[in-house]
Amino acid sequence: MRNLIPFFLLCGAAFCADGQFNGRWDIKVDNESRSRVWWLEVNGAGTPKLSGRFVGAPGGDMNDIPEMTVKNGELRFVFERSYVGTKGAKGAKQRGVYTAKLVGDKLVGQFFVEGKEGGKLTWKGVRAPVIKDKDDGSWKEGKPVKLFNGKDLTGWVPMIAGKEIGWKVESGILKNVAGANNLVSAQKFWNYKLHVEFRLGERTNGGIGLRGRYEVQILEDFGKPAGTHSSGALYSRIAPSENASKPAGEWQTYDIRLVGRTVTVVVNGKTVINKGEIEGLTAIANDCDEALPGPLSVQGDHGPVEIRDLTLTPLVK
């Protein structure tokens, strides 16, 4: 019995150490070609009920992690997907492997596809901060900021370095070409109201990135059921209460209010998300410093999107 006591103490210490993986992590990826950042949630590490959720490459949905372990101080999780540049038949699935260890207060990891030579990515995660600001009626409107001046792209930079920007201004309207770069505002903001006026072509989608982290989906989906990927959704996280979008070719409006992690979305005059709680980053994210002000971003890498107004009103105490 005396020999068993140290064994159980060691096991208890190991489970306690494994529990340090638990929580939500904002992840910056070294040399990520699209300037995207990732998000990870781990629950139950150090117990038999280990689970997790992930937002990252490839794709950008928030997915439950199907295969996950913690062993010998290493977190490991796997997705089976079709990865670009891998061997095998078109559409065949490969195993994408993510591993990480705790180094101080950071999660330090790598990603690779089994059977693929090269292409390994390294990444670092920090714990997602607690944001205490609440939309409690105490915020006042500051001076509105016209983020689009109706003339040119002053105040905007491309999200992806080395890629053509793919946007132009014609007759006071900001327009993209198919596959354009995403735009990022040079200015950064914290809490605010945002008014957007836009028009979509057929079978297209885009998005507005709040603080460069949380995407409100723009989609040509008039008359279709509402869901976490429909117009007005907080992409892959919060579904709107209804689909309030208009048909392709008609001008539409979004009025978005962001305070801390609380978001309200009004689509064409109808409130479809009312003080929804944002759990973490979405696919559009290119800025993972959640405790700091961030830019506005505009997605243009799909089909035709036209914008005639982007007005941001800071909310201050």
Side-chain angles (χ1 to χ4, degrees), residues 117-139:
E117 296 181 4
K120 183 179 292 184
L121 294 175
T122 56
W123 49 270
K124 294 182 180 66
V126 299
R127 291 191 182 277
V130 174
I131 301 176
K132 296 182 179 180
D133 291 351
K134 301 296 181 183
D135 195 359
D136 55 7
S138 65
W139 299 89

Side-chain angles (χ1 to χ4, degrees), residues 81-150:
R81 294 173 171 171
S82 298
Y83 291 87
V84 175
T86 53
K87 297 177 182 180
K90 184 177 180 181
K93 293 183 178 180
Q94 298 82 28
R95 288 170 60 83
V97 180
Y98 304 76
T99 63
K101 292 187 175 183
L102 288 162
V103 179
D105 59 351
K106 291 184 172 58
L107 200 60
V108 178
Q110 63 177 7
F111 163 76
F112 62 92
V113 177
E114 289 184 352
K116 179 182 178 182
E117 296 181 4
K120 183 179 292 184
L121 294 175
T122 56
W123 49 270
K124 294 182 180 66
V126 299
R127 291 191 182 277
V130 174
I131 301 176
K132 296 182 179 180
D133 291 351
K134 301 296 181 183
D135 195 359
D136 55 7
S138 65
W139 299 89
K140 299 179 180 179
E141 295 185 12
K143 183 179 179 180
V145 179
K146 283 280 188 180
L147 293 175
F148 171 49
N149 64 15

